Amino acid sequence: YGLHGASLDQIAQQADVSKTNLLYYFPTKEELYVQVMRELLRVWLLPLSSFSEEQDPFAALGDYLRIKLEFSRDNPEESRLFCMEILQGAPLLLAELQQPLHDRVQAKVAVIQSWIDQGKLKPIEPYHLIFSIWATTQHYADFRVQIEAVAGRTLDDPDFFDETLRNLTALLLDSLRP
């Protein structure tokens, strides 16, 4: 329900704790929300952190693409919650985006640029590759209703998941082969 749509009573009930206990650890709903968002970013960014210059770029980026798509399949509510925060201008998460997220992405931009400089990837602006992976994979979570209405399937269907991964790989990675 987002920050403004959920009450502390609802959150406590879902967490199976008393409201008093919840407020002991998180004095405000905003603090709880920011902590949830921080944890979500941490989990989302783990796979991005895992690739390095020594790896084959197509194996590393292919793994990242698959993991991001799995996350969208398995955590659509979390993806939509993050999307809502961003669409509202990230009022409570901007500091997280400007520091930890920025720094992690900057490091991976350098890895992708190194692969390009070594001739392992066609030249592309690394930021746009990362943004495209985020946009395409999260689309299947954030617009799940639209995907199901148009395609009649979701990522929960293993065949559709495999088809989606093959096509995103062709669109985003195969075009980067030297």
Side-chain angles (χ1 to χ4, degrees), residues 46-71:
L46 279 175
L48 181 64
S49 301
S50 69
F51 64 80
S52 64
E53 289 181 33
E54 298 76 34
Q55 292 176 290
D56 173 71
F58 295 98
L61 292 168
D63 286 346
Y64 182 57
L65 183 63
R66 179 187 45 78
I67 291 167
K68 287 290 294 169
L69 198 60
E70 288 171 346
F71 192 87

mmCIF file with all atom_site columns, all heavy atoms in Angstrom, residues 46-71:
data_model
loop_
_atom_site.group_PDB
_atom_site.id
_atom_site.type_symbol
_atom_site.label_atom_id
_atom_site.label_alt_id
_atom_site.label_comp_id
_atom_site.label_asym_id
_atom_site.label_entity_id
_atom_site.label_seq_id
_atom_site.pdbx_PDB_ins_code
_atom_site.Cartn_x
_atom_site.Cartn_y
_atom_site.Cartn_z
_atom_site.occupancy
_atom_site.B_iso_or_equiv
_atom_site.pdbx_formal_charge
_atom_site.auth_seq_id
_atom_site.auth_comp_id
_atom_site.auth_asym_id
_atom_site.auth_atom_id
_atom_site.pdbx_PDB_model_num
ATOM 1   N N   . LEU A 1 46 ? 23.039 -6.765  -4.734  1.00 0.00 ? 46 LEU A N   1
ATOM 2   C CA  . LEU A 1 46 ? 24.009 -7.846  -4.543  1.00 0.00 ? 46 LEU A CA  1
ATOM 3   C C   . LEU A 1 46 ? 24.467 -8.455  -5.867  1.00 0.00 ? 46 LEU A C   1
ATOM 4   O O   . LEU A 1 46 ? 25.670 -8.603  -6.092  1.00 0.00 ? 46 LEU A O   1
ATOM 5   C CB  . LEU A 1 46 ? 23.446 -8.925  -3.626  1.00 0.00 ? 46 LEU A CB  1
ATOM 6   C CG  . LEU A 1 46 ? 23.521 -8.655  -2.137  1.00 0.00 ? 46 LEU A CG  1
ATOM 7   C CD1 . LEU A 1 46 ? 22.818 -9.763  -1.350  1.00 0.00 ? 46 LEU A CD1 1
ATOM 8   C CD2 . LEU A 1 46 ? 24.957 -8.503  -1.674  1.00 0.00 ? 46 LEU A CD2 1
ATOM 9   N N   . PRO A 1 47 ? 23.548 -8.809  -6.766  1.00 0.00 ? 47 PRO A N   1
ATOM 10  C CA  . PRO A 1 47 ? 24.008 -9.406  -8.022  1.00 0.00 ? 47 PRO A CA  1
ATOM 11  C C   . PRO A 1 47 ? 24.832 -8.434  -8.875  1.00 0.00 ? 47 PRO A C   1
ATOM 12  O O   . PRO A 1 47 ? 25.753 -8.850  -9.568  1.00 0.00 ? 47 PRO A O   1
ATOM 13  C CB  . PRO A 1 47 ? 22.725 -9.794  -8.753  1.00 0.00 ? 47 PRO A CB  1
ATOM 14  C CG  . PRO A 1 47 ? 21.632 -9.673  -7.768  1.00 0.00 ? 47 PRO A CG  1
ATOM 15  C CD  . PRO A 1 47 ? 22.105 -8.818  -6.652  1.00 0.00 ? 47 PRO A CD  1
ATOM 16  N N   . LEU A 1 48 ? 24.523 -7.154  -8.825  1.00 0.00 ? 48 LEU A N   1
ATOM 17  C CA  . LEU A 1 48 ? 25.284 -6.163  -9.569  1.00 0.00 ? 48 LEU A CA  1
ATOM 18  C C   . LEU A 1 48 ? 26.710 -6.099  -9.034  1.00 0.00 ? 48 LEU A C   1
ATOM 19  O O   . LEU A 1 48 ? 27.659 -5.934  -9.793  1.00 0.00 ? 48 LEU A O   1
ATOM 20  C CB  . LEU A 1 48 ? 24.613 -4.783  -9.474  1.00 0.00 ? 48 LEU A CB  1
ATOM 21  C CG  . LEU A 1 48 ? 25.279 -3.636  -10.222 1.00 0.00 ? 48 LEU A CG  1
ATOM 22  C CD1 . LEU A 1 48 ? 25.273 -3.882  -11.730 1.00 0.00 ? 48 LEU A CD1 1
ATOM 23  C CD2 . LEU A 1 48 ? 24.576 -2.325  -9.912  1.00 0.00 ? 48 LEU A CD2 1
ATOM 24  N N   . SER A 1 49 ? 26.844 -6.276  -7.747  1.00 0.00 ? 49 SER A N   1
ATOM 25  C CA  . SER A 1 49 ? 28.166 -6.204  -7.119  1.00 0.00 ? 49 SER A CA  1
ATOM 26  C C   . SER A 1 49 ? 29.055 -7.375  -7.499  1.00 0.00 ? 49 SER A C   1
ATOM 27  O O   . SER A 1 49 ? 30.274 -7.290  -7.396  1.00 0.00 ? 49 SER A O   1
ATOM 28  C CB  . SER A 1 49 ? 28.019 -6.187  -5.596  1.00 0.00 ? 49 SER A CB  1
ATOM 29  O OG  . SER A 1 49 ? 27.250 -5.095  -5.200  1.00 0.00 ? 49 SER A OG  1
ATOM 30  N N   . SER A 1 50 ? 28.453 -8.457  -7.958  1.00 0.00 ? 50 SER A N   1
ATOM 31  C CA  . SER A 1 50 ? 29.213 -9.690  -8.124  1.00 0.00 ? 50 SER A CA  1
ATOM 32  C C   . SER A 1 50 ? 30.063 -9.748  -9.380  1.00 0.00 ? 50 SER A C   1
ATOM 33  O O   . SER A 1 50 ? 30.968 -10.564 -9.456  1.00 0.00 ? 50 SER A O   1
ATOM 34  C CB  . SER A 1 50 ? 28.266 -10.891 -8.089  1.00 0.00 ? 50 SER A CB  1
ATOM 35  O OG  . SER A 1 50 ? 27.461 -10.894 -9.254  1.00 0.00 ? 50 SER A OG  1
ATOM 36  N N   . PHE A 1 51 ? 29.804 -8.913  -10.387 1.00 0.00 ? 51 PHE A N   1
ATOM 37  C CA  . PHE A 1 51 ? 30.642 -9.083  -11.575 1.00 0.00 ? 51 PHE A CA  1
ATOM 38  C C   . PHE A 1 51 ? 31.858 -8.174  -11.569 1.00 0.00 ? 51 PHE A C   1
ATOM 39  O O   . PHE A 1 51 ? 31.856 -7.115  -10.983 1.00 0.00 ? 51 PHE A O   1
ATOM 40  C CB  . PHE A 1 51 ? 29.839 -9.013  -12.880 1.00 0.00 ? 51 PHE A CB  1
ATOM 41  C CG  . PHE A 1 51 ? 29.149 -7.730  -13.226 1.00 0.00 ? 51 PHE A CG  1
ATOM 42  C CD1 . PHE A 1 51 ? 29.845 -6.659  -13.781 1.00 0.00 ? 51 PHE A CD1 1
ATOM 43  C CD2 . PHE A 1 51 ? 27.784 -7.603  -13.063 1.00 0.00 ? 51 PHE A CD2 1
ATOM 44  C CE1 . PHE A 1 51 ? 29.212 -5.501  -14.148 1.00 0.00 ? 51 PHE A CE1 1
ATOM 45  C CE2 . PHE A 1 51 ? 27.142 -6.437  -13.418 1.00 0.00 ? 51 PHE A CE2 1
ATOM 46  C CZ  . PHE A 1 51 ? 27.846 -5.383  -13.961 1.00 0.00 ? 51 PHE A CZ  1
ATOM 47  N N   . SER A 1 52 ? 32.929 -8.716  -12.234 1.00 0.00 ? 52 SER A N   1
ATOM 48  C CA  . SER A 1 52 ? 34.221 -8.029  -12.210 1.00 0.00 ? 52 SER A CA  1
ATOM 49  C C   . SER A 1 52 ? 34.873 -8.108  -13.581 1.00 0.00 ? 52 SER A C   1
ATOM 50  O O   . SER A 1 52 ? 34.452 -8.877  -14.446 1.00 0.00 ? 52 SER A O   1
ATOM 51  C CB  . SER A 1 52 ? 35.128 -8.660  -11.156 1.00 0.00 ? 52 SER A CB  1
ATOM 52  O OG  . SER A 1 52 ? 35.410 -10.001 -11.511 1.00 0.00 ? 52 SER A OG  1
ATOM 53  N N   . GLU A 1 53 ? 35.939 -7.333  -13.758 1.00 0.00 ? 53 GLU A N   1
ATOM 54  C CA  . GLU A 1 53 ? 36.643 -7.248  -15.039 1.00 0.00 ? 53 GLU A CA  1
ATOM 55  C C   . GLU A 1 53 ? 37.167 -8.595  -15.519 1.00 0.00 ? 53 GLU A C   1
ATOM 56  O O   . GLU A 1 53 ? 37.261 -8.827  -16.720 1.00 0.00 ? 53 GLU A O   1
ATOM 57  C CB  . GLU A 1 53 ? 37.824 -6.272  -14.922 1.00 0.00 ? 53 GLU A CB  1
ATOM 58  C CG  . GLU A 1 53 ? 37.415 -4.834  -14.800 1.00 0.00 ? 53 GLU A CG  1
ATOM 59  C CD  . GLU A 1 53 ? 38.611 -3.893  -14.711 1.00 0.00 ? 53 GLU A CD  1
ATOM 60  O OE1 . GLU A 1 53 ? 39.655 -4.197  -15.339 1.00 0.00 ? 53 GLU A OE1 1
ATOM 61  O OE2 . GLU A 1 53 ? 38.501 -2.878  -14.022 1.00 0.00 ? 53 GLU A OE2 1
ATOM 62  N N   . GLU A 1 54 ? 37.509 -9.483  -14.584 1.00 0.00 ? 54 GLU A N   1
ATOM 63  C CA  . GLU A 1 54 ? 38.102 -10.768 -14.954 1.00 0.00 ? 54 GLU A CA  1
ATOM 64  C C   . GLU A 1 54 ? 37.082 -11.719 -15.578 1.00 0.00 ? 54 GLU A C   1
ATOM 65  O O   . GLU A 1 54 ? 37.461 -12.676 -16.246 1.00 0.00 ? 54 GLU A O   1
ATOM 66  C CB  . GLU A 1 54 ? 38.731 -11.442 -13.727 1.00 0.00 ? 54 GLU A CB  1
ATOM 67  C CG  . GLU A 1 54 ? 39.854 -10.658 -13.094 1.00 0.00 ? 54 GLU A CG  1
ATOM 68  C CD  . GLU A 1 54 ? 39.364 -9.474  -12.261 1.00 0.00 ? 54 GLU A CD  1
ATOM 69  O OE1 . GLU A 1 54 ? 38.294 -9.563  -11.632 1.00 0.00 ? 54 GLU A OE1 1
ATOM 70  O OE2 . GLU A 1 54 ? 40.065 -8.449  -12.262 1.00 0.00 ? 54 GLU A OE2 1
ATOM 71  N N   . GLN A 1 55 ? 35.811 -11.485 -15.350 1.00 0.00 ? 55 GLN A N   1
ATOM 72  C CA  . GLN A 1 55 ? 34.772 -12.388 -15.843 1.00 0.00 ? 55 GLN A CA  1
ATOM 73  C C   . GLN A 1 55 ? 34.495 -12.168 -17.321 1.00 0.00 ? 55 GLN A C   1
ATOM 74  O O   . GLN A 1 55 ? 34.778 -11.098 -17.875 1.00 0.00 ? 55 GLN A O   1
ATOM 75  C CB  . GLN A 1 55 ? 33.472 -12.175 -15.065 1.00 0.00 ? 55 GLN A CB  1
ATOM 76  C CG  . GLN A 1 55 ? 33.538 -12.590 -13.626 1.00 0.00 ? 55 GLN A CG  1
ATOM 77  C CD  . GLN A 1 55 ? 32.241 -12.257 -12.918 1.00 0.00 ? 55 GLN A CD  1
ATOM 78  O OE1 . GLN A 1 55 ? 31.953 -11.091 -12.701 1.00 0.00 ? 55 GLN A OE1 1
ATOM 79  N NE2 . GLN A 1 55 ? 31.485 -13.276 -12.586 1.00 0.00 ? 55 GLN A NE2 1
ATOM 80  N N   . ASP A 1 56 ? 33.896 -13.177 -17.924 1.00 0.00 ? 56 ASP A N   1
ATOM 81  C CA  . ASP A 1 56 ? 33.363 -13.023 -19.275 1.00 0.00 ? 56 ASP A CA  1
ATOM 82  C C   . ASP A 1 56 ? 32.167 -12.094 -19.180 1.00 0.00 ? 56 ASP A C   1
ATOM 83  O O   . ASP A 1 56 ? 31.249 -12.343 -18.373 1.00 0.00 ? 56 ASP A O   1
ATOM 84  C CB  . ASP A 1 56 ? 32.928 -14.385 -19.832 1.00 0.00 ? 56 ASP A CB  1
ATOM 85  C CG  . ASP A 1 56 ? 32.212 -14.235 -21.151 1.00 0.00 ? 56 ASP A CG  1
ATOM 86  O OD1 . ASP A 1 56 ? 32.874 -13.917 -22.150 1.00 0.00 ? 56 ASP A OD1 1
ATOM 87  O OD2 . ASP A 1 56 ? 30.973 -14.407 -21.165 1.00 0.00 ? 56 ASP A OD2 1
ATOM 88  N N   . PRO A 1 57 ? 32.133 -11.003 -19.961 1.00 0.00 ? 57 PRO A N   1
ATOM 89  C CA  . PRO A 1 57 ? 31.037 -10.038 -19.817 1.00 0.00 ? 57 PRO A CA  1
ATOM 90  C C   . PRO A 1 57 ? 29.655 -10.627 -20.101 1.00 0.00 ? 57 PRO A C   1
ATOM 91  O O   . PRO A 1 57 ? 28.685 -10.271 -19.425 1.00 0.00 ? 57 PRO A O   1
ATOM 92  C CB  . PRO A 1 57 ? 31.391 -8.938  -20.813 1.00 0.00 ? 57 PRO A CB  1
ATOM 93  C CG  . PRO A 1 57 ? 32.411 -9.501  -21.713 1.00 0.00 ? 57 PRO A CG  1
ATOM 94  C CD  . PRO A 1 57 ? 33.095 -10.595 -20.969 1.00 0.00 ? 57 PRO A CD  1
ATOM 95  N N   . PHE A 1 58 ? 29.581 -11.555 -21.049 1.00 0.00 ? 58 PHE A N   1
ATOM 96  C CA  . PHE A 1 58 ? 28.267 -12.098 -21.394 1.00 0.00 ? 58 PHE A CA  1
ATOM 97  C C   . PHE A 1 58 ? 27.759 -13.054 -20.325 1.00 0.00 ? 58 PHE A C   1
ATOM 98  O O   . PHE A 1 58 ? 26.567 -13.105 -20.047 1.00 0.00 ? 58 PHE A O   1
ATOM 99  C CB  . PHE A 1 58 ? 28.308 -12.740 -22.786 1.00 0.00 ? 58 PHE A CB  1
ATOM 100 C CG  . PHE A 1 58 ? 28.575 -11.713 -23.846 1.00 0.00 ? 58 PHE A CG  1
ATOM 101 C CD1 . PHE A 1 58 ? 29.851 -11.539 -24.343 1.00 0.00 ? 58 PHE A CD1 1
ATOM 102 C CD2 . PHE A 1 58 ? 27.558 -10.874 -24.274 1.00 0.00 ? 58 PHE A CD2 1
ATOM 103 C CE1 . PHE A 1 58 ? 30.110 -10.549 -25.290 1.00 0.00 ? 58 PHE A CE1 1
ATOM 104 C CE2 . PHE A 1 58 ? 27.811 -9.881  -25.212 1.00 0.00 ? 58 PHE A CE2 1
ATOM 105 C CZ  . PHE A 1 58 ? 29.083 -9.717  -25.722 1.00 0.00 ? 58 PHE A CZ  1
ATOM 106 N N   . ALA A 1 59 ? 28.668 -13.776 -19.697 1.00 0.00 ? 59 ALA A N   1
ATOM 107 C CA  . ALA A 1 59 ? 28.271 -14.647 -18.587 1.00 0.00 ? 59 ALA A CA  1
ATOM 108 C C   . ALA A 1 59 ? 27.844 -13.787 -17.392 1.00 0.00 ? 59 ALA A C   1
ATOM 109 O O   . ALA A 1 59 ? 26.791 -14.037 -16.789 1.00 0.00 ? 59 ALA A O   1
ATOM 110 C CB  . ALA A 1 59 ? 29.417 -15.572 -18.203 1.00 0.00 ? 59 ALA A CB  1
ATOM 111 N N   . ALA A 1 60 ? 28.637 -12.771 -17.062 1.00 0.00 ? 60 ALA A N   1
ATOM 112 C CA  . ALA A 1 60 ? 28.329 -11.924 -15.905 1.00 0.00 ? 60 ALA A CA  1
ATOM 113 C C   . ALA A 1 60 ? 27.033 -11.144 -16.118 1.00 0.00 ? 60 ALA A C   1
ATOM 114 O O   . ALA A 1 60 ? 26.154 -11.120 -15.242 1.00 0.00 ? 60 ALA A O   1
ATOM 115 C CB  . ALA A 1 60 ? 29.486 -10.968 -15.643 1.00 0.00 ? 60 ALA A CB  1
ATOM 116 N N   . LEU A 1 61 ? 26.898 -10.506 -17.269 1.00 0.00 ? 61 LEU A N   1
ATOM 117 C CA  . LEU A 1 61 ? 25.687 -9.729  -17.543 1.00 0.00 ? 61 LEU A CA  1
ATOM 118 C C   . LEU A 1 61 ? 24.473 -10.629 -17.725 1.00 0.00 ? 61 LEU A C   1
ATOM 119 O O   . LEU A 1 61 ? 23.360 -10.280 -17.320 1.00 0.00 ? 61 LEU A O   1
ATOM 120 C CB  . LEU A 1 61 ? 25.897 -8.841  -18.770 1.00 0.00 ? 61 LEU A CB  1
ATOM 121 C CG  . LEU A 1 61 ? 26.894 -7.700  -18.583 1.00 0.00 ? 61 LEU A CG  1
ATOM 122 C CD1 . LEU A 1 61 ? 27.240 -7.064  -19.928 1.00 0.00 ? 61 LEU A CD1 1
ATOM 123 C CD2 . LEU A 1 61 ? 26.362 -6.659  -17.606 1.00 0.00 ? 61 LEU A CD2 1
ATOM 124 N N   . GLY A 1 62 ? 24.676 -11.810 -18.309 1.00 0.00 ? 62 GLY A N   1
ATOM 125 C CA  . GLY A 1 62 ? 23.578 -12.764 -18.460 1.00 0.00 ? 62 GLY A CA  1
ATOM 126 C C   . GLY A 1 62 ? 23.065 -13.255 -17.117 1.00 0.00 ? 62 GLY A C   1
ATOM 127 O O   . GLY A 1 62 ? 21.856 -13.355 -16.893 1.00 0.00 ? 62 GLY A O   1
ATOM 128 N N   . ASP A 1 63 ? 23.986 -13.534 -16.202 1.00 0.00 ? 63 ASP A N   1
ATOM 129 C CA  . ASP A 1 63 ? 23.587 -13.927 -14.848 1.00 0.00 ? 63 ASP A CA  1
ATOM 130 C C   . ASP A 1 63 ? 22.827 -12.798 -14.167 1.00 0.00 ? 63 ASP A C   1
ATOM 131 O O   . ASP A 1 63 ? 21.817 -13.032 -13.500 1.00 0.00 ? 63 ASP A O   1
ATOM 132 C CB  . ASP A 1 63 ? 24.805 -14.307 -14.001 1.00 0.00 ? 63 ASP A CB  1
ATOM 133 C CG  . ASP A 1 63 ? 25.391 -15.661 -14.365 1.00 0.00 ? 63 ASP A CG  1
ATOM 134 O OD1 . ASP A 1 63 ? 24.720 -16.434 -15.076 1.00 0.00 ? 63 ASP A OD1 1
ATOM 135 O OD2 . ASP A 1 63 ? 26.541 -15.927 -13.952 1.00 0.00 ? 63 ASP A OD2 1
ATOM 136 N N   . TYR A 1 64 ? 23.333 -11.574 -14.317 1.00 0.00 ? 64 TYR A N   1
ATOM 137 C CA  . TYR A 1 64 ? 22.673 -10.424 -13.702 1.00 0.00 ? 64 TYR A CA  1
ATOM 138 C C   . TYR A 1 64 ? 21.267 -10.243 -14.259 1.00 0.00 ? 64 TYR A C   1
ATOM 139 O O   . TYR A 1 64 ? 20.311 -10.049 -13.502 1.00 0.00 ? 64 TYR A O   1
ATOM 140 C CB  . TYR A 1 64 ? 23.519 -9.163  -13.909 1.00 0.00 ? 64 TYR A CB  1
ATOM 141 C CG  . TYR A 1 64 ? 22.932 -7.940  -13.258 1.00 0.00 ? 64 TYR A CG  1
ATOM 142 C CD1 . TYR A 1 64 ? 22.667 -7.917  -11.891 1.00 0.00 ? 64 TYR A CD1 1
ATOM 143 C CD2 . TYR A 1 64 ? 22.639 -6.805  -13.996 1.00 0.00 ? 64 TYR A CD2 1
ATOM 144 C CE1 . TYR A 1 64 ? 22.127 -6.799  -11.277 1.00 0.00 ? 64 TYR A CE1 1
ATOM 145 C CE2 . TYR A 1 64 ? 22.100 -5.678  -13.391 1.00 0.00 ? 64 TYR A CE2 1
ATOM 146 C CZ  . TYR A 1 64 ? 21.842 -5.685  -12.039 1.00 0.00 ? 64 TYR A CZ  1
ATOM 147 O OH  . TYR A 1 64 ? 21.298 -4.582  -11.443 1.00 0.00 ? 64 TYR A OH  1
ATOM 148 N N   . LEU A 1 65 ? 21.125 -10.363 -15.555 1.00 0.00 ? 65 LEU A N   1
ATOM 149 C CA  . LEU A 1 65 ? 19.816 -10.236 -16.192 1.00 0.00 ? 65 LEU A CA  1
ATOM 150 C C   . LEU A 1 65 ? 18.844 -11.301 -15.666 1.00 0.00 ? 65 LEU A C   1
ATOM 151 O O   . LEU A 1 65 ? 17.701 -10.998 -15.313 1.00 0.00 ? 65 LEU A O   1
ATOM 152 C CB  . LEU A 1 65 ? 19.978 -10.345 -17.712 1.00 0.00 ? 65 LEU A CB  1
ATOM 153 C CG  . LEU A 1 65 ? 18.759 -10.164 -18.576 1.00 0.00 ? 65 LEU A CG  1
ATOM 154 C CD1 . LEU A 1 65 ? 18.170 -8.773  -18.441 1.00 0.00 ? 65 LEU A CD1 1
ATOM 155 C CD2 . LEU A 1 65 ? 19.132 -10.412 -20.033 1.00 0.00 ? 65 LEU A CD2 1
ATOM 156 N N   . ARG A 1 66 ? 19.306 -12.535 -15.579 1.00 0.00 ? 66 ARG A N   1
ATOM 157 C CA  . ARG A 1 66 ? 18.462 -13.629 -15.075 1.00 0.00 ? 66 ARG A CA  1
ATOM 158 C C   . ARG A 1 66 ? 18.052 -13.390 -13.623 1.00 0.00 ? 66 ARG A C   1
ATOM 159 O O   . ARG A 1 66 ? 16.889 -13.535 -13.258 1.00 0.00 ? 66 ARG A O   1
ATOM 160 C CB  . ARG A 1 66 ? 19.193 -14.965 -15.200 1.00 0.00 ? 66 ARG A CB  1
ATOM 161 C CG  . ARG A 1 66 ? 18.395 -16.154 -14.665 1.00 0.00 ? 66 ARG A CG  1
ATOM 162 C CD  . ARG A 1 66 ? 19.203 -17.446 -14.641 1.00 0.00 ? 66 ARG A CD  1
ATOM 163 N NE  . ARG A 1 66 ? 20.546 -17.309 -14.120 1.00 0.00 ? 66 ARG A NE  1
ATOM 164 C CZ  . ARG A 1 66 ? 20.871 -17.219 -12.822 1.00 0.00 ? 66 ARG A CZ  1
ATOM 165 N NH1 . ARG A 1 66 ? 19.914 -17.239 -11.902 1.00 0.00 ? 66 ARG A NH1 1
ATOM 166 N NH2 . ARG A 1 66 ? 22.125 -17.103 -12.438 1.00 0.00 ? 66 ARG A NH2 1
ATOM 167 N N   . ILE A 1 67 ? 19.003 -12.993 -12.795 1.00 0.00 ? 67 ILE A N   1
ATOM 168 C CA  . ILE A 1 67 ? 18.711 -12.750 -11.378 1.00 0.00 ? 67 ILE A CA  1
ATOM 169 C C   . ILE A 1 67 ? 17.711 -11.613 -11.219 1.00 0.00 ? 67 ILE A C   1
ATOM 170 O O   . ILE A 1 67 ? 16.788 -11.682 -10.407 1.00 0.00 ? 67 ILE A O   1
ATOM 171 C CB  . ILE A 1 67 ? 20.013 -12.491 -10.594 1.00 0.00 ? 67 ILE A CB  1
ATOM 172 C CG1 . ILE A 1 67 ? 20.834 -13.786 -10.509 1.00 0.00 ? 67 ILE A CG1 1
ATOM 173 C CG2 . ILE A 1 67 ? 19.726 -11.941 -9.207  1.00 0.00 ? 67 ILE A CG2 1
ATOM 174 C CD1 . ILE A 1 67 ? 22.270 -13.587 -10.044 1.00 0.00 ? 67 ILE A CD1 1
ATOM 175 N N   . LYS A 1 68 ? 17.883 -10.541 -11.987 1.00 0.00 ? 68 LYS A N   1
ATOM 176 C CA  . LYS A 1 68 ? 16.944 -9.413  -11.925 1.00 0.00 ? 68 LYS A CA  1
ATOM 177 C C   . LYS A 1 68 ? 15.543 -9.846  -12.361 1.00 0.00 ? 68 LYS A C   1
ATOM 178 O O   . LYS A 1 68 ? 14.547 -9.432  -11.764 1.00 0.00 ? 68 LYS A O   1
ATOM 179 C CB  . LYS A 1 68 ? 17.428 -8.255  -12.805 1.00 0.00 ? 68 LYS A CB  1
ATOM 180 C CG  . LYS A 1 68 ? 18.610 -7.504  -12.253 1.00 0.00 ? 68 LYS A CG  1
ATOM 181 C CD  . LYS A 1 68 ? 18.248 -6.677  -11.036 1.00 0.00 ? 68 LYS A CD  1
ATOM 182 C CE  . LYS A 1 68 ? 17.297 -5.568  -11.435 1.00 0.00 ? 68 LYS A CE  1
ATOM 183 N NZ  . LYS A 1 68 ? 16.686 -4.883  -10.313 1.00 0.00 ? 68 LYS A NZ  1
ATOM 184 N N   . LEU A 1 69 ? 15.453 -10.687 -13.379 1.00 0.00 ? 69 LEU A N   1
ATOM 185 C CA  . LEU A 1 69 ? 14.151 -11.161 -13.834 1.00 0.00 ? 69 LEU A CA  1
ATOM 186 C C   . LEU A 1 69 ? 13.530 -12.092 -12.790 1.00 0.00 ? 69 LEU A C   1
ATOM 187 O O   . LEU A 1 69 ? 12.320 -12.025 -12.535 1.00 0.00 ? 69 LEU A O   1
ATOM 188 C CB  . LEU A 1 69 ? 14.292 -11.867 -15.185 1.00 0.00 ? 69 LEU A CB  1
ATOM 189 C CG  . LEU A 1 69 ? 13.018 -12.050 -15.983 1.00 0.00 ? 69 LEU A CG  1
ATOM 190 C CD1 . LEU A 1 69 ? 12.368 -10.706 -16.323 1.00 0.00 ? 69 LEU A CD1 1
ATOM 191 C CD2 . LEU A 1 69 ? 13.294 -12.830 -17.264 1.00 0.00 ? 69 LEU A CD2 1
ATOM 192 N N   . GLU A 1 70 ? 14.338 -12.930 -12.167 1.00 0.00 ? 70 GLU A N   1
ATOM 193 C CA  . GLU A 1 70 ? 13.839 -13.783 -11.081 1.00 0.00 ? 70 GLU A CA  1
ATOM 194 C C   . GLU A 1 70 ? 13.316 -12.939 -9.924  1.00 0.00 ? 70 GLU A C   1
ATOM 195 O O   . GLU A 1 70 ? 12.284 -13.251 -9.336  1.00 0.00 ? 70 GLU A O   1
ATOM 196 C CB  . GLU A 1 70 ? 14.945 -14.726 -10.579 1.00 0.00 ? 70 GLU A CB  1
ATOM 197 C CG  . GLU A 1 70 ? 15.279 -15.833 -11.537 1.00 0.00 ? 70 GLU A CG  1
ATOM 198 C CD  . GLU A 1 70 ? 16.512 -16.624 -11.137 1.00 0.00 ? 70 GLU A CD  1
ATOM 199 O OE1 . GLU A 1 70 ? 17.282 -16.170 -10.246 1.00 0.00 ? 70 GLU A OE1 1
ATOM 200 O OE2 . GLU A 1 70 ? 16.730 -17.699 -11.724 1.00 0.00 ? 70 GLU A OE2 1
ATOM 201 N N   . PHE A 1 71 ? 14.042 -11.870 -9.604  1.00 0.00 ? 71 PHE A N   1
ATOM 202 C CA  . PHE A 1 71 ? 13.604 -11.000 -8.529  1.00 0.00 ? 71 PHE A CA  1
ATOM 203 C C   . PHE A 1 71 ? 12.258 -10.370 -8.874  1.00 0.00 ? 71 PHE A C   1
ATOM 204 O O   . PHE A 1 71 ? 11.370 -10.273 -8.023  1.00 0.00 ? 71 PHE A O   1
ATOM 205 C CB  . PHE A 1 71 ? 14.653 -9.922  -8.233  1.00 0.00 ? 71 PHE A CB  1
ATOM 206 C CG  . PHE A 1 71 ? 14.382 -9.188  -6.948  1.00 0.00 ? 71 PHE A CG  1
ATOM 207 C CD1 . PHE A 1 71 ? 14.853 -9.676  -5.745  1.00 0.00 ? 71 PHE A CD1 1
ATOM 208 C CD2 . PHE A 1 71 ? 13.638 -8.022  -6.939  1.00 0.00 ? 71 PHE A CD2 1
ATOM 209 C CE1 . PHE A 1 71 ? 14.590 -9.015  -4.551  1.00 0.00 ? 71 PHE A CE1 1
ATOM 210 C CE2 . PHE A 1 71 ? 13.370 -7.351  -5.755  1.00 0.00 ? 71 PHE A CE2 1
ATOM 211 C CZ  . PHE A 1 71 ? 13.846 -7.847  -4.553  1.00 0.00 ? 71 PHE A CZ  1
#
